[in-house]
C-alpha cells in the first residue's frame, strides 16, 4: 500500500497520474519517420540565414503527448526571451470540423528538455484522433527531438504541404524570439489564421539579411514574399539600405511573379526611445520611397506599416500583444492578396476530417495538389463522398464504380476532387487553397450541398453554392461549369425538390454555367428514390453510378 501511495505522489509531483507512469511510451522521430520535406531541422549557424519550417504536423488519438528534445547550444538566447518562448514547445489541435484549439502543457528543464501535454480530449465523429501542429522554439534550432505517445495510441506524421507557402524574411526578434511561447510568434499566429504553409528566414537578429538572402527566398515557389524591413542596431546608411532593398526586390522578381510585401514598423517597442523611434520611422520612409519608385518597373509590389501601441521588452523586440497585432495587420493584407473573395463569402472556409475512418482529408488534399501539377486535368469532378467514392484518381480504395468512371472519361485527363463528408465551406477552402490552380480545365462538374442539409437552411445552401460557383469561375474563367442539382436522398426528396428549384433560379443568369438535373432518373413515379440505385439512401451503388454516367456523357461530347 505504501508503494502505491509513493507512486501516486511521484506522479502528482511530475504533473501526471500513476497510470501515465505505468504506461509504455512509444517514441517517434520526425527526422526518420516524417515524409520527406525540403525543410529540415539544422543546428544553428551564427551569422547566417536559417530557413526553416517552425512547426511539425501529426495525427494522434493519444490522451497525452510528450516531447523530448535538445537545443543546438544556446541558440543565441537573449535576456529578453521568455523561458517558454526561447526553448519551449507549443501544441495546437484541429478537430474534425476544422476548429483550432491550444493544448496546455508543462515544460521540464534538464540536459534533455521535456514538454508534456496531458488529458487531451476529442470531440469528433470518430475515434481516430485530431490533427496537431507542434510549434518549435522561435530563434533557436532543435538539435534532435522525439514525440512520445502512450502505447496503443494512433500516431503518424502528416506529409509536407504541396501548397505554395508564404515565405517571410525577418529579424529573429520580430519572428518571435521574444514571444512568451512559440505559438505567439506572429508568423505562427499568421500560419494558423491563413491555414497554409509559412516558411521563415531568420537573419540572425541584426535586421539585415545577407547578400544571398533574397536568392534563398526564391528557392521556394512562394505564394507571397514578405520582407520585414525593420533595421537592426547597426543599420545601414540610408543610401546603402535603399540599394540593398532595390537589389533584393529585383532578385526576387527575376525568379518569381508572386506578390512582394514590404513590412515596416512604426515605434515597435520604441515609444520611450526617441532614437529608436526615429530610426524606425526613417526606415519606413525609405521603404515607402523604394516601393513607390519600383512600382514603375515591377508589379505586385506592396508596402505595409505595422503600428503597435504596446511597449516591448527592449528596443527591437515585441511583446505577445504586439505579436498579435502584427499578425492581424499582416493577415488582412496577405488574405487580401491571396484570398480576395473571402470578404464576400457567407460561409467560413475550413478543413475537416469527419470521415477519418475511411481516408485522411489533409493527405488527400496534398495528393490532389501534386496530381494536378503533374497531370494538368481537363475534366474536373468536384464534390463530396458521392464523387469521391465513384472512381478515378487520385486513388481511393473504397471506390464503387471505377470501371464506369474509366469508360465515361476514357482518353481525357480527369481528376476526382471529391472528399467524403465535405460541406460547402470545406470545398470553398480547397478552391482557395490551390485545387483549381496551375491548369486550365475545359469542363467542371460540381455536386455539393447534401452534407449541409442538417445544419443550414435552404436559403443558406443556395447562397453558398452560388458563392462557390463564383469562386470556381474566378479561378477558371474559361471553364464550362455544370452544377448538378443535389441528388435525391431517402426522406429528403420533397425538401430537395424545392431547394433545387431555388438553386436553379439563382444560377440562371450566370454565363458558362449550366444546371444538370438527375433527379428524374434516380426517383420513381412517386417521387421517392429508387432504392435499387442506392447503397444507403444517399450514396449511389454501382448501378446508380451507371445511370449517372449515362446522363453526364452528352455533356462531355
Amino acid at each position: 500500500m505504501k508503494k502505491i501511495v509513493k507512486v501516486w505522489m511521484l506522479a502528482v509531483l511530475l504533473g501526471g497520474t500513476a497510470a501515465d507512469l505505468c504506461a509504455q511510451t512509444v517514441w517517434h522521430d520526425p527526422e526518420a519517420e516524417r515524409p520527406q520535406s525540403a525543410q529540415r531541422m539544422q543546428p544553428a549557424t551564427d551569422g547566417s540565414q536559417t530557413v526553416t519550417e517552425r512547426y511539425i504536423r501529426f495525427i494522434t488519438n493519444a490522451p497525452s503527448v510528450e516531447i523530448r528534445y535538445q537545443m543546438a547550444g544556446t541558440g543565441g538566447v537573449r535576456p529578453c526571451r521568455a523561458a517558454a518562448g526561447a526553448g519551449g514547445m507549443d501544441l495546437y489541435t484541429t478537430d474534425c470540423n476544422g476548429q483550432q484549439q491550444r493544448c496546455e502543457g508543462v515544460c521540464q528543464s534538464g540536459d534533455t528538455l521535456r514538454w508534456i501535454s496531458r488529458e487531451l480530449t476529442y470531440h469528433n465523429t470518430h475515434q481516430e484522433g485530431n490533427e496537431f501542429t507542434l510549434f518549435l522554439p522561435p530563434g533557436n534550432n532543435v538539435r534532435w527531438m522525439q514525440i512520445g505517445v502512450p502505447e496503443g495510441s494512433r500516431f503518424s506524421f502528416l506529409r509536407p504541404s504541396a501548397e505554395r507557402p508564404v515565405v517571410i524574411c525577418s529579424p529573429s526578434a520580430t519572428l518571435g524570439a521574444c514571444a512568451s511561447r512559440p505559438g505567439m510568434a506572429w508568423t505562427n499566429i499568421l500560419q494558423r489564421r491563413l491555414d497554409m504553409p509559412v516558411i521563415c528566414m531568420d537573419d540572425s537578429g541584426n535586421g539585415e539579411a545577407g547578400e544571398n538572402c533574397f536568392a534563398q527566398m526564391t528557392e521556394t515557389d512562394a505564394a507571397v514574399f514578405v520582407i520585414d524591413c525593420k533595421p537592426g542596431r547597426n543599420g545601414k546608411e540610408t543610401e546603402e539600405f535603399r540599394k540593398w532593398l532595390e537589389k533584393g526586390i529585383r532578385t526576387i522578381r527575376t525568379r518569381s511573379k508572386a506578390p512582394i510585401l514590404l513590412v515596416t514598423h512604426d515605434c515597435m517597442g520604441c515609444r520611450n526611445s526617441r532614437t529608436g523611434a526615429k530610426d524606425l520611422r526613417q526606415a519606413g520612409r525609405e521603404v515607402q520611397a523604394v516601393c513607390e519608385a519600383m512600382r514603375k518597373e515591377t508589379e505586385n509590389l506592396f508596402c505595409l506599416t505595422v503600428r503597435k501601441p504596446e511597449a516591448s521588452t527592449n528596443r527591437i523586440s515585441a511583446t505577445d500583444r504586439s505579436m498579435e497585432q502584427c499578425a492581424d495587420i499582416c493577415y488582412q493584407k496577405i488574405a487580401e492578396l491571396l484570398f480576395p473573395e473571402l470578404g464576400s463569402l457567407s460561409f467560413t472556409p475550413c478543413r475537416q476530417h469527419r470521415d477519418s475512418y475511411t481516408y485522411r482529408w489533409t493527405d488527400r488534399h496534398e495528393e490532389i495538389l501534386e496530381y494536378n501539377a503533374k497531370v494538368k486535368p481537363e475534366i474536373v469532378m468536384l464534390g463530396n463522398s458521392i464523387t469521391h467514392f465513384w472512381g478515378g484518381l487520385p486513388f481511393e480504395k473504397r471506390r464503387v464504380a471505377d470501371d464506369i468512371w474509366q469508360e465515361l472519361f476514357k482518353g481525357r485527363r480527369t481528376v476526382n476532387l471529391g472528399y467524403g463528408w465535405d460541406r460547402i465551406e470545406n470545398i470553398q477552402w480547397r478552391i482557395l487553397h490551390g485545387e483549381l490552380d496551375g491548369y486550365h480545365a475545359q469542363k467542371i462538374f460540381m455536386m455539393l450541398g447534401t452534407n449541409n442539409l442538417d445544419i443550414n437552411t435552404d436559403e443558406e445552401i443556395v447562397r453558398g453554392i452560388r458563392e462557390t460557383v463564383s469562386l470556381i469561375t474566378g479561378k477558371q474563367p474559361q471553364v464550362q461549369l455544370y452544377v448538378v442539382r443535389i441528388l435525391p436522398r431517402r426522406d429528403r426528396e420533397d425538401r430537395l425538390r424545392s431547394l433545387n428549384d431555388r438553386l436553379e433560379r439563382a444560377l440562371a443568369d450566370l454565363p458558362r454555367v449550366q444546371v444538370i438535373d438527375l433527379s428524374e432518373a434516380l426517383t420513381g413515379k412517386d417521387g421517392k428514390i429508387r432504392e435499387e440505385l442506392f447503397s444507403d439512401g444517399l450514396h449511389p451503388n454501382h448501378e446508380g453510378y451507371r445511370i449517372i454516367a449515362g446522363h453526364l456523357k452528352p455533356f462531355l461530347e
Side-chain angles (χ1 to χ4, degrees):
M1 181 67 180
K2 290 183 178 180
K3 290 184 178 179
I4 294 175
V5 172
K6 288 180 179 179
V7 169
W8 179 83
M9 291 179 66
L10 178 60
V12 172
L13 289 173
L14 293 175
T17 64
D20 291 328
L21 293 179
C22 296
Q24 294 292 323
T25 299
V26 179
W27 295 98
H28 300 271
D29 184 351
E31 287 293 292
E33 300 178 35
R34 195 161 57 136
Q36 185 63 37
S37 171
Q39 307 300 333
R40 297 305 233 174
M41 293 179 294
Q42 299 176 355
T45 305
D46 293 338
S48 65
Q49 290 75 44
T50 303
V51 183
T52 57
E53 289 174 314
R54 294 177 178 261
Y55 52 88
I56 293 174
R57 301 184 303 154
F58 58 86
I59 295 176
T60 188
N61 60 1
S64 64
V65 172
E66 180 175 352
I67 320 295
R68 61 185 184 187
Y69 58 103
Q70 286 185 342
M71 308 301 295
T74 63
V77 176
R78 302 182 180 89
C80 71
R81 295 185 182 176
M89 298 284 181
D90 219 355
L91 189 65
Y92 284 75
T93 185
T94 304
D95 68 16
C96 69
N97 291 313
Q99 301 303 305
Q100 299 180 11
Q101 181 178 338
R102 181 175 177 245
C103 305
E104 296 290 341
V106 294
C107 191
Q108 299 176 0
S109 61
D111 292 337
T112 297
L113 300 171
R114 291 177 180 270
W115 188 92
I116 306 169
S117 183
R118 303 186 187 278
E119 299 182 356
L120 298 174
T121 57
Y122 302 89
H123 305 283
N124 294 329
T125 55
H126 52 77
Q127 301 298 317
E128 298 296 291
N130 279 356
E131 294 183 4
F132 289 83
T133 301
L134 177 68
F135 291 102
L136 307 179
N140 292 275
N141 281 11
V142 176
R143 176 179 290 134
W144 67 267
M145 69 175 294
Q146 292 179 325
I147 302 175
V149 296
E151 186 176 19
S153 301
R154 179 190 181 195
F155 184 95
S156 61
F157 291 102
L158 284 166
R159 60 191 297 170
S161 178
E163 186 177 354
R164 297 168 65 203
V166 175
V167 177
I168 301 174
C169 179
S170 177
S172 60
T174 48
L175 280 177
C178 292
S180 64
R181 52 185 176 83
M184 290 306 299
W186 78 268
T187 53
N188 291 336
I189 299 172
L190 182 68
Q191 187 275 331
R192 292 194 299 276
R193 294 198 62 183
L194 290 172
D195 199 7
M196 65 183 294
V198 173
I199 295 178
C200 301
M201 175 178 291
D202 183 351
D203 70 356
S204 302
N206 63 10
E208 301 162 23
E211 294 298 324
N212 296 325
C213 169
F214 297 106
Q216 283 182 286
M217 292 180 74
T218 57
E219 290 177 2
T220 300
D221 181 19
V224 61
F225 296 97
V226 180
I227 304 172
D228 192 339
C229 301
K230 182 181 177 185
R233 296 184 184 274
N234 300 312
K236 297 179 182 292
E237 295 296 331
T238 299
E239 188 63 29
E240 187 180 358
F241 175 78
R242 289 190 63 166
K243 289 180 179 179
W244 166 81
L245 186 56
E246 290 171 354
K247 180 179 178 181
I249 293 170
R250 292 189 179 101
T251 298
I252 293 176
R253 189 51 77 231
T254 57
R255 305 187 185 190
S256 173
K257 296 181 179 179
I260 300 173
L261 179 60
L262 308 179
V263 178
T264 67
H265 301 269
D266 180 15
C267 298
M268 180 192 245
C270 300
R271 291 280 174 184
N272 299 318
S273 170
R274 292 183 179 178
T275 303
K278 181 179 178 181
D279 289 347
L280 286 174
R281 291 194 180 106
Q282 178 61 30
R285 286 192 290 268
E286 294 303 322
V287 172
Q288 288 279 4
V290 170
C291 189
E292 291 298 327
M294 295 200 67
R295 279 177 179 157
K296 299 175 182 179
E297 64 177 85
T298 184
E299 296 180 349
N300 277 344
L301 179 62
F302 306 91
C303 188
L304 179 67
T305 299
V306 177
R307 294 179 172 85
K308 302 183 180 68
E310 177 78 359
S312 301
T313 53
N314 63 22
R315 178 184 173 228
I316 63 171
S317 302
T319 62
D320 284 356
R321 182 179 172 188
S322 291
M323 290 283 177
E324 289 181 318
Q325 291 169 329
C326 183
D328 288 344
I329 294 169
C330 289
Y331 167 78
Q332 292 173 17
K333 185 61 180 180
I334 294 173
E336 175 188 321
L337 295 174
L338 299 182
F339 314 122
E341 309 90 349
L342 270 180
S344 63
L345 299 179
S346 55
F347 286 77
T348 301
C350 63
R351 302 173 186 257
Q352 62 98 354
H353 58 89
R354 289 181 284 270
D355 201 8
S356 284
Y357 282 131
T358 304
Y359 76 104
R360 291 185 179 177
W361 196 96
T362 298
D363 282 353
R364 181 165 176 81
H365 173 63
E366 303 302 336
E367 291 170 2
I368 282 174
L369 293 181
E370 294 173 357
Y371 179 84
N372 288 347
K374 180 180 179 180
V375 174
K376 306 293 184 184
E378 53 188 326
I379 306 295
V380 175
M381 299 295 291
L382 177 64
N384 45 46
S385 57
I386 295 173
T387 302
H388 185 179
F389 300 128
W390 183 348
L393 294 173
F395 177 77
E396 167 53 52
K397 61 183 179 181
R398 279 189 54 184
R399 51 191 183 180
V400 173
D402 186 60
D403 57 330
I404 296 173
W405 177 287
Q406 298 300 336
E407 181 181 353
L408 178 63
F409 300 112
K410 185 177 181 180
R412 296 181 172 92
R413 299 188 310 277
T414 307
V415 61
N416 184 328
L417 299 191
Y419 286 61
W421 221 325
D422 251 16
R423 295 173 179 154
I424 292 171
E425 58 268 32
N426 309 127
I427 292 176
Q428 290 180 345
W429 187 96
R430 295 195 279 119
I431 294 171
L432 291 173
H433 287 262
E435 292 195 5
L436 294 181
D437 293 347
Y439 62 96
H440 299 283
Q442 297 176 6
K443 300 175 184 290
I444 295 179
F445 294 84
M446 182 177 72
M447 291 190 280
L448 78 160
T450 194
N451 290 323
N452 290 86
L453 291 176
D454 291 331
I455 60 174
N456 294 106
T457 65
D458 292 1
E459 180 182 358
E460 291 170 338
I461 293 172
V462 170
R463 183 168 62 248
I465 293 176
R466 178 169 174 129
E467 291 169 354
T468 306
V469 167
S470 296
L471 287 179
I472 293 171
T473 55
K475 292 283 188 178
Q476 299 270 348
Q478 81 294 332
V479 81
Q480 175 62 52
L481 175 61
Y482 298 98
V483 178
V484 180
R485 286 168 58 120
I486 302 174
L487 298 189
R489 52 187 291 187
R490 183 188 299 146
D491 300 327
R492 307 288 184 94
E493 294 93 343
D494 291 340
R495 179 186 175 185
L496 284 172
R497 192 174 298 110
S498 173
L499 190 161
N500 281 323
D501 288 343
R502 294 181 63 174
L503 174 62
E504 192 158 357
R505 289 193 297 271
L507 302 179
D509 62 335
L510 299 181
R512 303 186 66 81
V513 177
Q514 183 174 346
V515 176
I516 299 177
D517 187 0
L518 303 177
S519 302
E520 186 175 341
L522 300 173
T523 56
K525 294 181 180 180
D526 59 357
K528 303 297 183 181
I529 64 167
R530 295 170 56 188
E531 294 285 351
E532 70 274 15
L533 301 180
F534 293 83
S535 60
D536 56 3
L538 167 62
H539 298 92
N541 57 23
H542 191 274
E543 184 58 27
Y545 280 116
R546 186 181 300 280
I547 298 294
I548 292 172
H551 283 76
L552 294 184
K553 186 175 181 179
F555 298 99
L556 290 169
E557 297 173 351

